[in-house]
Amino acid sequence: MAASPLRVAVVPGDGIGVEVIAEAVKALTAVADAAGKEVRLTPFDWGAERYLRTGVTLPPGCLELLQEGFDAILLGAMGDPRVPDNKHAADILLGLRFKLDLYVNYRPVRLFHERLCPLKGAKPEDVDFVVFRENTEGLYVMMGGHFKKDTPDEVATEIDLNTRKGVERILRHAFEHAKARGRTRLVMADKSNVLIHAHELWLRVFQAMAAQYPGIEARHLYVDNLALQMVREPRQFQVIVTSNMFGDIVTDLAAGLQGGLGMAASGNIHPGQVSLFEPVHGSSPALAGKNVANPMGAILTAGLLLEHLGWAEEAARIESAVRWAVESERTTSDIGGSLGTREVGDAIEARLRGSPVG
Ligand code: IPM
Ligand code: MN
C-alpha cells in the first residue's frame, strides 16, 4: 500500500521568502518523486501584499483549516518595508507560534564545510549541535504597556512571562531529544543571577529534571557565558535549551558559525500537532527579486519538516544533497559561490532526482 500523501501548507510570505520557498518546494517534490511518495502542496498568499490589499493578516478560520487539513506548514519569511510596524509579521508568524501552541523552536546547527565558518581552524565536526528555544512565552508575549506616553516621564514595561508548564515542557523536550539521539551533553542557558524570579524557576525545574537523566551530563550556563563559549569552543555543545528571547539571539550567533543566516533552518513544533517550518532568516527586502538569496536554509528546513513527519530517509537525502552542493561549491555568493538562488535549487533538485547535474 502506498504511504498516504503528506499535506503541506506553503506560505512563501514576503521578500526573498518567495524565492527560497520555490527552491524548497522543488527539493520536496524531487525527494518525494524519487521515493515514489507524494507531498501535496497547498499555497497560501498570507503576507504583506494581501495585508496591504485587504487588511487581513491571518484569515478567519485558518487555524482550524491548518489543524484539520494539514500535516505541516512551510513558511518563507515575513517583513516588508511598506508595513513599518510589521503588524502582519507579528500576526502571522508569532500568531501561529502562539495560537498553534508551537512551544518548541528547534534549530539544528551544522557546519557543512570549514570554509563557511568564521572561526579559525573550525572543522565540520566542531559545529554540530541543536538549540531548543522556548517559543510561546518569555519576553515574546507582548504584555506590558506605556504610561504617560509621549511625555518626558514616559514609562514602558515589557513582561517576561514564564510558567512552570512552559518551562517544564521545553526542558523535557530537550532532554528527551538528547536521550533519543544518543547525545550525552545538554546545556541550559539562562540569566538566573539577575532574573531572580523568572529564571530561578528555569534553574529549579532544570536541576530537578536533570536528576531524572543520569546518562546525560546536564550543565547550567549563564547566557552571556554561553555566547562566549559558542565562539571559543563550539565543539563542547550538543544540545542547548533556553528561553524565547535568549534563543532568538544565540541562534543568530549559531547561524554565523554555520555560514550565516542563509544556512540556518528551523522548526516551530508542537509534537503530535500541525507544526510550522521556516528558515531562520528574514525577508531581506534589499535582496528580494534578484535571484541572489541563499535557498539552502529553506531547503534544509523542508528536510526538517520531512524528518518531523517521519520521512527520515528523505530528510537525510535532502541534507546530504545540500552538503554535496556546499562541498562542490554550487552556492550563492553569501557563502562564496557564484550561482543564483534558482541555479542552486536546480542543482540540488537534479541531485535528488538522480538526473545529470550542471
Ligand atoms: C526568528 C525571528 C523572529 C523572532 C522575528 C521575525 C519576530 O527573528 O524567528 O528568529 O524574533 O522570533
Ligand atoms: Mn531571530
Side-chain angles (χ1 to χ4, degrees):
M1 196 183 81
S4 52
L6 293 186
R7 303 161 306 163
V8 179
V10 180
V11 187
D14 306 330
I16 62 167
V18 178
E19 292 160 81
V20 299
I21 288 302
E23 303 314 314
V25 161
K26 272 156 61 179
L28 266 184
T29 310
V31 83
D33 286 351
K37 295 180 175 176
E38 191 190 344
V39 180
R40 230 171 256 164
L41 302 155
T42 308
F44 290 89
D45 66 349
W46 308 340
E49 201 62 54
R50 175 167 176 169
Y51 172 58
L52 289 167
R53 214 176 50 237
T54 66
V56 172
T57 54
L58 275 180
C62 75
L63 295 176
E64 295 73 16
L65 178 70
L66 292 169
Q67 281 161 331
E68 285 154 26
F70 293 93
D71 300 305
I73 307 154
L74 178 65
L75 184 142
M78 293 289 158
D80 186 297
R82 294 170 299 168
V83 189
D85 65 359
N86 254 322
K87 165 152 173 58
H88 71 296
D91 274 17
I92 297 171
L93 181 58
L94 299 179
L96 289 175
R97 286 180 186 171
F98 292 136
K99 291 179 182 156
L100 296 174
D101 198 28
L102 306 174
Y103 64 92
V104 177
N105 193 321
Y106 172 48
R107 296 186 162 178
V109 183
R110 306 283 294 276
L111 175 62
F112 289 146
H113 193 282
E114 59 183 275
R115 70 171 193 282
L116 270 53
C117 187
L119 300 182
K120 191 170 51 181
K123 301 268 184 291
E125 60 270 26
D126 296 326
V127 180
D128 182 6
F129 60 89
V130 300
V131 180
F132 289 105
R133 159 185 175 188
E134 200 294 318
N135 213 28
T136 49
E137 308 194 333
L139 275 164
Y140 274 70
V141 296
M142 296 185 181
M143 290 168 70
H146 296 275
F147 179 50
K148 301 186 183 173
K149 195 168 180 180
D150 291 326
T151 76
D153 296 326
E154 178 160 355
V155 175
T157 63
E158 207 72 53
I159 289 177
D160 183 3
L161 183 123
N162 295 262
T163 68
R164 175 178 276 275
K165 170 185 149 190
V167 172
E168 270 175 1
R169 65 184 184 175
I170 187 68
L171 292 177
R172 179 69 70 194
H173 190 87
F175 274 104
E176 286 298 318
H177 173 95
K179 194 171 155 187
R181 306 287 173 106
R183 300 283 208 154
T184 55
R185 295 197 297 275
L186 181 149
V187 164
M188 189 282 282
D190 66 20
K191 194 66 187 167
S192 51
N193 50 346
V194 178
L195 307 182
I196 56 171
H197 309 105
H199 282 194
E200 189 271 341
L201 170 66
W202 276 77
L203 186 54
R204 211 167 356 107
V205 173
F206 171 68
Q207 286 167 342
M209 203 175 289
Q212 299 165 13
Y213 294 86
I216 297 174
E217 181 204 317
R219 193 156 57 113
H220 167 246
L221 287 181
Y222 295 127
V223 70
D224 45 348
N225 187 19
L226 170 68
L228 172 76
Q229 298 295 333
M230 278 172 65
V231 173
R232 274 178 48 154
E233 208 201 327
R235 197 189 173 98
Q236 66 188 290
F237 299 112
Q238 293 184 341
V239 178
I240 295 171
V241 56
T242 190
S243 58
N244 205 342
M245 181 64 80
F246 293 167
D248 178 47
I249 297 166
V250 302
T251 55
D252 261 39
L253 195 164
L257 300 177
Q258 62 183 145
L261 281 173
M263 296 302 294
S266 85
N268 299 266
I269 295 168
H270 187 125
Q273 297 184 23
V274 68
S275 295
L276 164 71
F277 295 80
E278 43 146 4
V280 177
H281 64 72
S283 61
S284 284
L287 301 183
K290 298 183 175 153
N291 194 38
V292 296
N294 185 347
M296 289 179 170
I299 294 172
L300 291 165
T301 294
L304 291 186
L305 180 156
L306 293 181
E307 182 195 10
H308 175 73
L309 294 176
W311 289 27
E313 213 168 292
E314 290 75 19
R317 288 201 65 219
I318 288 192
E319 190 184 293
S320 72
V322 172
R323 184 188 300 278
W324 160 84
V326 169
E327 283 168 355
S328 61
E329 301 191 36
R330 289 175 169 88
T331 71
T332 44
S333 60
D334 55 311
I335 53 169
S338 57
L339 297 187
T341 309
R342 272 191 303 278
E343 291 67 35
V344 170
D346 287 346
I348 291 172
E349 181 189 17
R351 176 85 175 176
L352 290 167
R353 290 189 184 280
S355 36
V357 181

